[in-house]
Every structure is written in C-alpha cells, then in structure tokens.
Amino acid sequence: MRTLIKASNIGKSYKQGKEKTFVLRHVNLSLPGIGFVGIQGKSGSGKSTLLNLLAGLETPSEGRVYFAGDDLGEMKGKRRSRFHSSDTSFVFQHYNLIEDQDVLFNVSLPLLMAGEKTRKTKEKVRKSLIKFGLDGFESRLVSTLSGGEKQRVALARALVNDPLCVFADEPTGALDEGNAKTVMEALKEASKERLVLVVSHNVKLLEEYADQIIEISDGKMASPPPKLKTVRPIEIQPRPRGSGSWRHRFLLRNLGKDWGKNLMAFSSGVIGFVCLILCFGFFHGSPLALKEESERTLGYPMARLSQRTVTEVPNSPLSLIQEERPSRESAASLLDGIPYLSIENDYSFFLPPASLFHLDGEEAGSSSFSPVYDITLEEWGSSLLIEGRKPKKNDLQNVLVNESFAKEHQDCLGKTIEFPVHVDLISDGAEDEIDWDFKARIAGVVEEFSFLSVPTVYYSHQGLEAFLKEINLPRISMKRGRNINPVSLCEEAPGDACYASYGLLIFAHKEEAARQLYSLMEQGNIQEPFALDSSAFRIASSFQSLSSAFRLALALFVFIALAGLALILGMASYSSFVSRIKEGAILLVLGAKESHLRALFCEEGMLVNFLASGFALAASPFAISAVNRLLAAQFGISSLIRFPFASYLGIPYLLVLGVLLAALLIGYSAVAIPLLIHRRIPIAKELRDE
Ligand code: ADP
Ligand code: MG
C-alpha cells in the first residue's frame, strides 16, 4: 500500500435555508508518505474544511476519504479511536489544550487513550518535552503558559505517539514571528518521518517550509495535486487496546469543579434514599409492630363466636343478619385442634358491655365493660399492669381499667365503680326481674394498645358467672319445677333467646392458643355461618387497613422523591456535559471513544448517587429512631418503622446492597438518558478557530 491519504471527489455542503451551498467540491488527492504539504488560500476559501475532512473531524457530504486504505466513514469504535490517538494528530491555531491540567497530563493523553502503560507514558512524554524545549514544564498548569509555550506543548502532544500524519490548521496564526518560526521548524523536522499537512494563509511562511503547496480557491483545488517524491512504507502497528483510564482524572476534577451542583445532587440523594429507607421500614415494620401491640391488651386472648343467619328480604337489596349463639358442640368442633381454650357463655345480657357509672358516688360518664377470664393476671397479662395491684381473687369485688380510662378519670385508682343493673327475664311465659348493683373497686391500671382504644373496665368472667349462679329466679323456677339461675337458664336456652343471642366467648389461656385464634380471624377462614370476632383484632385490622392506605401514599411520595432526584442528577450532569462539550471535542480528537466520554459523566452521576445512598444508609438509623419516637408519641405504637439492615428474606445485607445498587442504577439512567439527546458531539464546529 503506497497511499496514506486519498480523497476521492470529496465535497462539503451546508444547508442555508432550503438551499445547499457547497463550500468545497470535487477535490481529488492522493498523498503517499513523507513530506510537508502546505494548504494555502484566502480566508473562507475552504482550507480548514478540507483539512477537517481529511482528518476525520468532519464527514464529507459527497465523496470518500481513505486513510491507509480504510474508508474514514466506516471507521468506528476502537479503529476510529486508534486513528485519532495513534495514527494521526491535530495541531490547532488556539492550541485546544486542557487548560486546568498540567503539561505532563496534557501530553500523556494520546498515549493514555491508546492504552499505553503509565510508566512508558512518562518516558515518552519526557523525551517529547525535551525535544520542544519544555524540560521541567511537566507540572506546570497549561493556563500559566504563554502562547508560544502552549503551542509547543500542543506539538509535543501531537508527536508523542509518533503518528503517521500530523494535521495543523493555522498553527502559527496566534503567534509572533519568532514563535511562528520555531513551530514551523518543528513541523519541518517532523515531516522528515511522516506526512505533515499545514493550513495557512501566510504564503511566505508556507513557501519557506513546504515541499509542496496546494492552493484552494473558492472551494476548489486551484493547483494540480502535489506529487511527493519520498515514499514511506505504511505500517499500521498493532497498538495496545484503547482504554478509558484517562477518565479517572477528569472524574475527580469534575467532581471538585462542580462541587456546588454535586453537593445539591448529593443532598437530594440523601433525602431521597432516607425517604426510601423510611418508607420500606414502615412497610416492613408496621404490620409487625401492630401485631405486637395488639397482643399487648387484656382483650387479646378473648374472641366471640356467633352464628350468622342471613335472610334476603324479598324484592329488596337488603338482607337481614341475625346473630345467635352456636351450640357448644359445633363450637368445640370448629375450634378443635387449638388447645388451652375455654368456651364460655356470653353474659352480656346480664352485664351490659357499655354503662353509665358513678365513681365514688359521683356521676362519672360511661365506659366499656369487658370480661377477662382471669382478673388475677396469673395466666395472662401481668406485665401489662402499670399501676395499682393485681386483684387476688376472681370475683366481682375488684376490677382493672385500661390506660385510656385512667387518663379520662384522673386518680381513679382505689375508687369504687358503681351502677345499677336491671334485667327483665321472660321464659316459658314466666317473668322474673333481676335488680342488683354492680359495685367494684378499681385495683389497677393496665397498659393497652392505646391507638383507637376506648375507656374500658375489665372484670372477671368467672366472678360474674359465680355471682349469677347465686341469683334465684323464683317464677321461672316455679314454672319449670326446679331451681333455675341465670347461668343454668342461659345454658338451656335456645341460641336465639335474647339472653343467649350474644354468642359464646372463647378464652385462650396460653399465648400459643391466642395466636391461633388470632390467625383464624386474620385468615377469615372460619366456616360459614359461624363468625369469630374480637375487639383487639378489630382495632388492629382497622389500623392495618389505615396504614396500608398510608403506605400506598408513602410509596407514591418516595417515587416522586426518587424521580425528583433523578431529575436533579440528570440536569446537573447534563449541564456539566454541555459546559464541557468543547473539552469533549478535544478529547475525541485525541482518540477518546464517545462511549468513554459519556461514561465519564455517567460515572460522576453514579458516584454522587452511590455516596448519597451510603450516607443515607449510615444516617437512617438515626432518622428511623427519630421518626419512631414521633409516631410513638402520636399513635402509642413503638417501633412502627423497622429496616432490616442485617438480613432480609434470609439473605444477609440484601436491602443494604439493594439500596446501593438502586443508587447506581438511578445515577446511571438519570445521566445516560439525557446524554442520549447529544448523539454526536460536532467536533469541527466546537474546535473551529474563527
Ligand atoms: P478557511 O479555513 O479557508 O478560512 P473554512 O473552510 O473555514 O475557510 O470555511 C469555508 C466556508 O465554509 C466559509 O465561507 C465558511 O463560512 C463556511 N462554513 C464553514 N463552516 C460552516 C458551517 N458550519 N455552516 C455553514 N457554513 C460554514
Ligand atoms: Mg480556516
């Protein structure tokens, strides 16, 4: 192969309004090898356009450019990167160096792009710097150099990788005469081993140095194409794979330079991820907390079993629900398999579940009255007592009240609750009246799942039963011909008798049994037409449904927070990308892959987000405990938010890793998607010297 650069009938046009105007057309060139070729012409004649087309900084509108036989239009990825970093280099009028970096790094860039090892790089850079009289300039920042020094750095950069061809567009345009001479000498020296193409409008200078001159006039080649005598064998050496290692330096620099933007993205990231963690903690923790709380009530081990008959009302959408007491046999078989249960009559008819009462003789309002199997708290709930004493016996002399009762009636401990009870009983046509005074001393206060709970007085079920057994029903006994008391009457009554229609009470004596009852209610799978129900369950499940609505809202907020985060991150990275687009163009000319350039900005977003999520993970235990304290004060439920840091679904650190991964993903997509808008960086447009 003898031709290094071949241009076959190339042209470049721009659209102006509807019309296409050609700024260069019908150019044919064949440049084989070694020498100094000048491109000369008036300003605006198309010199830069020609050079850019040959150097691959612009694509021709028609025709093709070949480099060592390869069509430039087809050069993609690694091949293109090598074309820019190793095979060719470009010297601009205004240097196009990375101004805020030192000389060493600037000159190293083509080598780093080509994947050269760092140690080799330093050596080559040193040699190149010495050649251009820049020994000792390694650590100088480019921005502190003079124009002549900058152009020598640019020359060192252009030659450090020993390219086959150097393009230079008005390399002396910004320099004084002395510096211009130095630059031209250097290019002349370089042209002894390679092809050097120099654009200049300075005819005198070109005539002094160039072996041959191409003249461009009005977008056409005015002189015959040059014929270079010396031919250099073209060998495209295999080079190390291009690498993106140069990115680290830019990544750190960008992070520091854009610290304001990044700090903002970081802060919103921390907020977003703390929100995410809190929200998940609430998802995970609230059902557990509610379950634990609902177990912490004296009503927990009790449920009511009833039988429901639903009767459709003819010609109406209404239906009647009648609740009655199921038979003991069916109750026993329904609850078969749950040990430690008592199936008891419900005496709600004889002691109403809600009553107006007097406290130490003074009218005090109303309260709910609820039976517990064992008021002495031997079998259940002794840890719930927060004030006073446990009653010693299961009788009606002593009762316990819950926290909300105690709150409503200050200093109630030791006072006497009193209210009259009057019941009319009709059975077998006989009628008896029961008149008695419920009178009991408040022995203690028990802690309770306080959210939604009402003032409640707990009395002994066994005590009430023993008391009722002592009451004589003279008329009904006479009618039946034997002694009948309310308890035996209740036992024998049909399920729909008014005094039996409340159903059966199920008491669990052990925690395990209570759990099983609870899960029966939870699954709702007790057989029709029976129904199992408890106030503790009802309170917990209403809070559950409330909290699941709440969780949905929270999930929405978190989604919005994360979307906002992605937006901020995307905007920050996009704007820093746009503000560095010229630098991007320089890096592309030095052989960076476009994908690496995008990756640089994605990495920045990912890093910021990753740090934010790490910080959020570290800070979240404090946030969780603060919010928990707030919620506990409001709802009386402790530890509603629990984030399983250590392990989830049996996998250690699953959620921690999940959050970090999500951070990387959000960081990546938030940046990658907006960058897709910029499909290509218009290199020539960014780097043109006007
Ligand atoms: P020279 O380097 O010889 O001074 P150029 O090659 O830079 O000239 O430009 C040749 C012509 O092309 C000029 O008239 C210029 O205005 C025009 N031109 C260059 N770039 C563009 C562009 N992006 N859009 C439209 N016209 C352009
Ligand atoms: Mg020009």
Side-chain angles (χ1 to χ4, degrees):
M1 205 188 325
R2 312 187 61 176
T3 310
L4 184 62
I5 293 178
K6 187 175 150 144
S8 137
N9 199 30
I10 53 172
K12 181 78 183 174
S13 61
Y14 292 105
K15 265 204 183 121
Q16 267 166 353
K18 274 182 196 161
E19 271 179 46
K20 271 205 291 190
T21 37
F22 276 87
V23 298
L24 193 79
R25 208 163 193 193
H26 305 312
V27 173
N28 287 287
L29 263 177
S30 190
L31 299 169
I34 297 174
F36 194 125
V37 177
I39 300 176
Q40 181 225 303
K42 284 196 201 113
S43 176
S45 57
K47 308 181 295 290
S48 296
T49 305
L50 174 62
L51 198 70
N52 287 345
L53 290 175
L54 299 180
L57 307 193
E58 277 180 89
T59 42
S61 313
E62 53 181 44
R64 281 166 198 281
V65 179
Y66 298 91
F67 184 85
D70 293 342
D71 187 344
L72 276 193
E74 308 279 302
M75 259 188 211
K76 299 266 149 64
K78 257 188 263 172
R79 177 71 189 95
R80 185 155 199 104
S81 166
R82 202 186 65 195
F83 170 75
H84 287 302
S85 69
S86 313
D87 298 341
T88 65
S89 60
F90 209 107
V91 179
F92 300 89
Q93 179 178 355
H94 289 110
Y95 332 118
N96 284 334
L97 298 165
I98 311 292
E99 292 275 331
D100 65 348
Q101 298 294 313
D102 59 23
V103 170
L104 175 68
F105 183 65
N106 266 281
V107 180
S108 309
L109 273 169
L111 296 169
L112 295 175
M113 303 281 183
E116 202 95 48
K117 295 272 181 309
T118 324
R119 226 199 295 128
K120 259 188 167 173
T121 308
K122 270 201 178 143
E123 195 118 332
K124 284 191 180 178
V125 172
R126 268 190 63 80
K127 271 190 199 157
S128 192
L129 288 178
I130 290 170
K131 206 192 284 176
F132 293 99
L134 292 164
D135 195 17
F137 275 64
E138 282 89 340
S139 54
R140 284 279 294 276
L141 287 186
V142 167
S143 54
T144 67
L145 301 180
S146 72
E149 287 165 341
K150 281 184 187 175
Q151 197 61 305
R152 279 187 280 145
V153 173
L155 284 169
R157 181 180 70 178
L159 291 163
V160 72
N161 215 359
D162 190 21
L164 295 165
C165 177
V166 176
F167 302 97
D169 191 352
E170 307 274 7
T172 60
L175 303 179
D176 58 53
E177 211 171 311
N179 276 312
K181 270 200 154 21
T182 317
V183 167
M184 290 306 262
E185 299 277 354
L187 288 170
K188 182 77 191 170
E189 178 68 24
S191 74
K192 287 179 182 158
E193 292 171 32
R194 57 179 63 76
L195 181 64
V196 174
L197 278 167
V198 178
V199 162
S200 179
H201 63 274
N202 190 336
V203 189
K204 263 175 74 188
L205 209 60
L206 273 190
E207 278 173 348
E208 190 179 343
Y209 289 97
D211 301 327
Q212 268 173 9
I213 292 176
I214 302 172
E215 184 161 356
I216 301 287
S217 160
D218 276 343
K220 291 193 187 65
M221 237 165 42
S223 57
K227 296 207 171 12
L228 294 174
K229 286 170 210 107
T230 336
V231 173
R232 177 190 181 175
I234 300 161
E235 30 175 327
I236 304 241
Q237 296 156 359
R239 305 246 187 185
R241 279 188 68 213
S243 96
S245 62
W246 55 271
R247 300 205 303 265
H248 308 321
R249 183 122 166 201
F250 283 95
L251 180 61
L252 286 179
R253 195 266 317 245
N254 291 357
L255 275 176
K257 248 189 164 174
D258 291 340
W259 66 269
K261 268 185 242 172
N262 283 326
L263 191 70
M264 190 177 76
F266 175 82
S267 318
S268 52
V270 171
I271 294 170
F273 285 111
V274 167
C275 273
L276 179 73
I277 290 166
L278 284 177
C279 183
F280 192 89
F282 186 75
F283 259 72
H284 178 72
S286 63
L288 298 175
L290 278 167
K291 188 132 198 185
E292 282 169 22
E293 281 293 337
S294 64
E295 286 170 17
R296 293 192 60 75
T297 147
L298 280 188
Y300 177 67
M302 185 197 84
R304 184 174 271 118
L305 183 70
S306 59
Q307 189 172 344
R308 283 185 186 164
T309 325
V310 180
T311 322
E312 305 287 338
V313 179
N315 304 325
S316 152
L318 301 176
S319 50
L320 291 174
I321 298 176
Q322 190 193 6
E323 281 198 18
E324 55 183 281
R325 186 181 64 184
S327 71
R328 275 172 183 278
E329 293 75 44
S330 44
S333 73
L334 268 175
L335 303 170
D336 191 28
I338 307 181
Y340 309 114
L341 285 184
S342 291
I343 300 173
E344 301 283 323
N345 287 322
D346 186 351
Y347 298 117
S348 296
F349 184 78
F350 301 97
L351 186 65
S355 286
L356 282 165
F357 61 90
H358 284 79
L359 209 54
D360 268 0
E362 272 178 44
E363 219 170 88
S366 78
S367 165
S368 163
F369 284 76
S370 187
V372 291
Y373 192 80
D374 175 29
I375 197 83
T376 68
L377 305 185
E378 284 308 309
E379 68 177 34
W380 198 279
S382 58
S383 72
L384 298 181
L385 191 74
I386 49 175
E387 242 185 295
R389 289 181 294 105
K390 297 187 270 188
K392 290 206 175 62
K393 279 200 293 191
N394 266 306
D395 57 24
L396 288 187
Q397 304 301 312
N398 289 291
V399 291
L400 296 170
V401 295
N402 69 358
E403 270 182 293
S404 86
F405 185 101
K407 221 175 264 172
E408 206 166 300
H409 307 284
Q410 299 283 327
D411 306 318
C412 63
L413 203 65
K415 286 187 178 167
T416 305
I417 283 186
E418 193 177 4
F419 62 91
V421 182
H422 176 89
V423 177
D424 286 319
L425 275 174
I426 304 171
S427 173
D428 303 323
E431 188 174 345
D432 272 310
E433 277 179 36
I434 310 177
D435 263 310
W436 61 292
D437 269 333
F438 181 94
K439 195 169 178 184
R441 201 180 138 269
I442 296 174
V445 179
V446 287
E447 181 194 332
E448 193 165 273
F449 178 26
S450 56
F451 186 69
L452 294 179
S453 87
V454 291
T456 303
V457 176
Y458 290 104
Y459 62 88
S460 162
H461 175 80
Q462 297 174 73
L464 178 63
E465 189 169 82
F467 173 79
L468 291 176
K469 266 186 185 160
E470 297 301 315
I471 294 175
N472 187 27
L473 301 172
R475 296 197 180 103
I476 296 172
S477 299
M478 183 115 82
K479 191 91 183 191
R480 297 220 182 156
R482 63 199 159 86
N483 262 343
I484 299 288
N485 61 49
V487 175
S488 60
L489 181 76
C490 227
E491 285 295 344
E492 292 162 19
D496 59 350
C498 56
Y499 39 88
S501 65
Y502 287 90
L504 288 168
L505 292 185
I506 316 294
F507 289 106
H509 302 294
K510 291 245 155 87
E511 188 122 1
E512 183 49 33
R515 286 236 164 89
Q516 287 185 29
L517 269 185
Y518 203 86
S519 68
L520 267 182
M521 287 184 269
E522 223 167 21
Q523 294 155 13
N525 65 355
I526 195 134
Q527 209 179 305
E528 292 268 348
F530 301 100
L532 198 61
D533 187 19
S534 89
S535 58
F537 175 73
R538 241 188 269 178
I539 290 171
S541 60
S542 64
F543 194 89
Q544 289 281 20
S545 45
L546 195 75
S547 78
S548 58
F550 196 56
R551 271 179 280 178
L552 191 74
L554 270 189
L556 205 70
F557 291 154
V558 164
F559 178 77
I560 292 169
L562 291 182
L565 164 66
L567 210 69
I568 289 173
L569 209 68
M571 262 158 45
S573 317
Y574 185 73
S575 75
S576 54
F577 180 79
V578 169
S579 72
R580 305 230 158 85
I581 207 144
K582 178 163 182 181
E583 182 175 295
I586 295 174
L587 293 172
L588 286 174
V589 174
L590 295 178
K593 282 206 225 159
E594 205 147 339
S595 61
H596 282 157
L597 212 54
R598 282 174 208 285
L600 172 64
F601 289 89
C602 290
E603 279 160 8
E604 188 177 341
M606 281 159 85
L607 191 67
V608 168
N609 231 19
F610 188 76
L611 291 176
S613 68
F615 189 85
L617 278 168
S620 57
F622 304 102
I624 288 173
S625 88
V627 177
N628 269 339
R629 231 173 299 147
L630 214 78
L631 290 175
Q634 200 65 34
F635 302 111
I637 305 170
S638 53
S639 308
L640 265 173
I641 297 176
R642 299 171 195 192
F643 193 82
F645 288 99
S647 132
Y648 186 66
L649 300 175
I651 303 168
Y653 304 114
L654 178 67
L655 291 180
V656 173
L657 295 175
V659 167
L660 295 175
L661 199 73
L664 291 178
L665 218 73
I666 292 172
Y668 179 79
S669 48
V671 180
I673 292 168
L675 286 195
L676 282 180
I677 303 169
H678 261 286
R679 288 223 72 91
R680 278 231 110 83
I681 297 175
I683 303 174
K685 206 169 136 200
E686 289 299 325
L687 302 182
R688 234 173 220 279
D689 299 299
E690 294 306 340

